[in-house]
Amino acid sequence: MVQTARLSERILESFDDLTKSERLLAEHFLENPDSLALHTAEEISSLANVSKATTARFFKRLGFPSFKTAQRMARVRRNDSQHNKRVFSEPIQQRSGRGDLADHLASDVQNLIRTIEAIRGDELKDAVTYLARAEKVWVVGFGDNYPLAHFARAQLIKVKPDIRMIPLGGFPVPEEFASIRPSDAVLALAIGRRTATLRSILQSARLSGARTISVTDLTSSGNSELAEVTLRCRTSGLSYFDSLASPVSVMTYLCMAVADRLGQNAVDRLKYIDGIHSEWGDLG
């Protein structure tokens, strides 16, 4: 295991035993998986705000003979990964049969595994608590994140009564957002490009005292001044598009966990909704 395990796997296995400074390095590598292959020890120490001695000690604690050994392994893996991605990403080649679908499935499975490995249990628990306790939940998503936000709202509204959506067609965001209160929570979808408006919303939400949760990708460094909880998802795609399997899975889990936390109130609301559908003759 020591010889073959990836850096992220070793970090997750040893995380509880790391010192405070070493955890800064661990968080840096989990957020920036290519950093070891791309930067020197001095550069990594500066990026993580730790000493070079801490960086050297960190890799020995994880079972590597030295930083250089760990870096060589990371570069080999990165080169292999980039080669595979170039092969998979040829849009002109006609690659027929189940091979393409199998590659797609394997890629999504890896995205899911890596995402679950990297998400901290305490942050996931906090996110569920904030959403369950909130008087109102504001679900925010712009551009490509809008359908993800719409999906999250569609699930939460089934178990919790006051779920707001931003943006809301035809209404300016500031007027709609003026109703936010310290008892609320904001769930922001931030996969890929993050707009200035999203940042402004999160800043205003924090100033109001509301809880803030961000579901984003691995390119986001995270900002505790904007989001109290940041859940990072691996979204690597084989060709033109990012994979959304991990963000959708994480949001599905969040909604399910919120429903479990709400207990009988969620059950009663679901039954009431089903009753309305029956009264109206809706087919389900």
Side-chain angles (χ1 to χ4, degrees):
M1 175 69 173
V2 170
Q3 295 302 319
T4 61
R6 295 175 182 274
L7 178 62
S8 61
E9 294 170 352
R10 300 194 194 196
I11 288 173
L12 292 167
E13 287 179 354
S14 306
F15 195 87
D16 290 342
D17 299 324
L18 300 177
T19 65
K20 184 177 180 180
S21 295
E22 289 168 347
R23 288 190 180 191
L24 291 176
L25 275 168
E27 291 171 357
H28 168 77
F29 287 121
L30 290 175
E31 294 167 8
N32 306 278
D34 289 336
S35 183
L36 179 57
L38 298 176
H39 297 107
T40 66
E42 185 175 0
E43 289 170 341
I44 290 170
S45 302
S46 177
L47 289 169
N49 198 27
V50 300
S51 66
K52 286 187 65 176
T54 298
T55 300
R57 185 172 63 249
F58 172 80
F59 284 97
K60 288 185 178 180
R61 183 187 290 275
L62 295 185
F64 293 100
S66 66
F67 169 84
K68 289 292 186 183
T69 300
Q71 188 173 64
R72 281 196 298 270
M73 293 172 64
R75 285 175 174 172
V76 169
R77 284 195 170 114
R78 185 171 186 270
N79 288 338
D80 289 344
S81 175
Q82 287 184 331
H83 171 72
N84 289 337
K85 189 164 185 177
R86 285 195 297 271
V87 172
F88 291 149
S89 299
E90 282 292 341
I92 298 176
Q93 288 183 351
Q94 297 297 319
R95 303 174 66 242
S96 59
R98 293 184 58 83
D100 288 342
L101 184 59
D103 293 341
H104 172 75
L105 175 61
S107 177
D108 270 1
V109 168
Q110 282 301 308
N111 285 335
L112 287 165
I113 291 172
R114 301 285 179 79
T115 296
I116 299 305
E117 285 178 342
I119 290 180
R120 288 168 41 186
D122 58 333
E123 291 193 327
L124 201 57
K125 182 179 179 180
D126 286 344
V128 172
T129 299
Y130 296 159
L131 293 171
R133 290 181 179 176
E135 180 178 325
K136 295 189 297 292
V137 174
W138 301 80
V139 186
V140 185
F142 294 92
D144 290 344
N145 285 285
Y146 185 83
L148 295 174
H150 194 279
F151 169 77
R153 182 185 184 274
Q155 303 309 307
L156 288 172
I157 198 69
K158 295 174 182 176
V159 296
K160 196 173 174 66
D162 201 349
I163 312 296
R164 308 292 180 93
M165 182 81 181
I166 290 181
L168 190 62
F171 290 89
V173 173
E175 281 81 348
E176 185 70 20
F177 202 64
S179 300
I180 197 166
R181 297 291 180 267
S183 56
D184 296 349
V186 175
L187 175 61
L189 283 302
I191 306 298
R193 290 189 177 91
R194 289 165 281 278
T195 67
T197 303
L198 177 64
R199 181 181 181 86
S200 297
I201 287 172
L202 288 172
Q203 286 177 328
S204 295
R206 290 303 302 272
L207 288 173
S208 75
R211 301 292 193 176
T212 51
I213 304 145
S214 174
V215 177
T216 186
D217 51 43
L218 296 180
T219 63
S220 171
S221 61
N223 187 335
S224 59
E225 294 180 0
L226 297 178
E228 293 176 78
V229 175
T230 299
L231 304 176
R232 295 178 182 82
C233 303
R234 191 172 186 265
T235 59
S236 297
L238 293 181
S239 185
Y240 298 111
F241 308 112
D242 287 341
S243 167
L244 298 181
S246 295
V248 170
S249 180
V250 168
M251 286 188 294
T252 300
Y253 174 81
L254 280 178
C255 296
M256 178 183 68
V258 168
D260 287 343
R261 181 70 63 88
L262 294 173
Q264 191 60 43
N265 287 337
V267 173
D268 291 344
R269 181 171 174 82
L270 285 167
K271 288 180 178 178
Y272 184 58
I273 291 171
D274 282 343
I276 295 174
H277 282 295
S278 297
E279 289 175 10
W280 292 358
D282 294 339
L283 299 177

